[in-house]
Amino acid sequence: MLILCTNDDGYRAVGLRTLAEVARQLGTVQVVAPDREQSATSHSLTMHHPLRAHPIEECVQAIDGTPTDCVALAVGELLGSRPDVVLSGINHGANMGEDVLYSGTVAGAMEATILGIPAIAFSYVGRDPAAISAYAPLLARLVPQLIRPGALPDDTLLNVNLPAIDPLEVRGVRVTRLGRRVYSDSISRARDPSGREYFWIGGGAVSWTADEGTDFQAVDEGYISVTPLHLDLTNHKLLAQVEQWELHA
Ligand code: MN
């Protein structure tokens, strides 16, 4: 089995190293990952400047682009053959609720899904990346259970969030739906040393509505969250209602 690993935190990230270490127990691993921090780049594709692949070590290449670029280049050009599965992560930080729309890690898995390759995104909910490597033994048991060729529809990927606790304390695995994230004060407004105003997005207090069955609730209660995501953003329930608007040109 050929496994492509990528992420959005860059090829040096401990989360990616841990994921690749787990994947090597399951098959042949190629890592194609951004050469620097690409978190929150979502599903962006670099089209207006050339991309270069830098060999880092055997079976590891760094790209000066986004996670989507990495998967597209790996599958289209860099790997000798098509990967059987793409694993993205382990992201340094949660990707739950609306965060999946901003995440480069989730987008890397989505790009694989678009290319018809089964894909799983992994994220660690805690703030200390050094704690991620302790998850390797647990993931060596879990990841083979998640790789099920043909089991999911073509447009579907899995989004996995690991709770910020000692893996030995994990209570189990829950299949979840996306919750809702609530950001407050996430834009800072300040002045630089020369007195010019600037803005900074990020930080601030983060809370969520940990409703029953959500990813947030699962990790909050010490479970690993597994959410099946699909790429069709159509609100199928609303089609008939909007149809009744009788829109005309
Ligand atoms: Mn990230």
Side-chain angles (χ1 to χ4, degrees):
M1 180 162 62
L2 177 59
I3 303 169
L4 169 63
C5 291
T6 192
N7 75 343
D8 75 0
D9 301 315
Y11 74 92
R12 294 185 185 88
V14 63
L16 175 63
R17 303 248 160 197
T18 303
L19 188 62
E21 174 195 326
V22 169
R24 282 188 199 102
Q25 299 172 45
L26 306 171
T28 304
V29 175
Q30 290 281 345
V31 173
V32 180
D35 65 357
R36 68 199 78 179
E37 174 67 65
Q38 291 284 348
S39 293
T41 54
S42 184
H43 208 144
S44 77
L45 193 60
T46 302
M47 298 179 70
H48 301 294
H49 65 77
L51 293 167
R52 295 186 200 277
H54 301 281
I56 303 298
E57 56 193 68
E58 200 181 349
C59 300
V60 178
Q61 297 180 77
I63 307 287
D64 52 351
T66 67
T68 299
D69 295 331
C70 291
V71 173
L73 287 192
V75 174
E77 291 290 336
L78 298 176
L79 305 186
S81 51
R82 197 173 162 80
D84 298 291
V85 64
V86 173
L87 305 179
S88 187
I90 301 164
N91 189 60
H92 298 185
N95 276 310
M96 304 186 289
E98 289 88 341
D99 280 353
V100 302
L101 299 172
Y102 300 94
S103 168
T105 294
V106 175
M110 281 183 178
E111 182 62 15
T113 306
I114 288 171
L115 297 172
I117 301 164
I120 310 171
F122 296 87
S123 302
Y124 173 67
V125 173
R127 290 185 180 274
D128 177 19
I132 296 177
S133 55
Y135 261 101
L138 186 154
L139 287 171
R141 297 190 298 273
L142 179 63
V143 174
Q145 301 171 56
L146 298 174
I147 299 176
R148 296 178 180 237
L152 294 173
D154 285 349
D155 70 338
T156 302
L157 60 139
L158 294 176
N159 185 45
V160 178
N161 279 276
L162 309 171
I165 57 177
D166 184 328
L168 297 172
E169 318 257 287
V170 167
R171 296 168 70 189
V173 181
R174 275 196 194 152
V175 178
T176 61
R177 63 190 168 89
L178 295 177
R180 301 294 305 272
R181 204 188 235 320
V182 183
Y183 283 100
S184 50
D185 302 326
S186 66
I187 301 179
S188 308
R189 182 179 191 143
R191 293 199 177 271
D192 68 17
S194 30
R196 290 166 57 218
E197 188 172 65
Y198 70 86
F199 300 91
W200 199 308
I201 298 174
V206 173
S207 60
W208 55 84
T209 52
D211 295 335
E212 191 68 28
T214 60
D215 44 10
F216 291 115
Q217 189 201 43
V219 299
D220 201 36
E221 295 181 357
Y223 290 84
I224 291 170
S225 165
V226 176
T227 310
L229 298 178
H230 64 149
L231 303 181
D232 181 358
L233 296 176
T234 313
N235 189 333
H236 289 272
K237 284 184 291 190
L238 279 188
L239 284 176
Q241 185 181 325
V242 178
E243 198 70 52
Q244 283 171 3
W245 295 359
E246 296 181 1
L247 299 168
H248 50 87

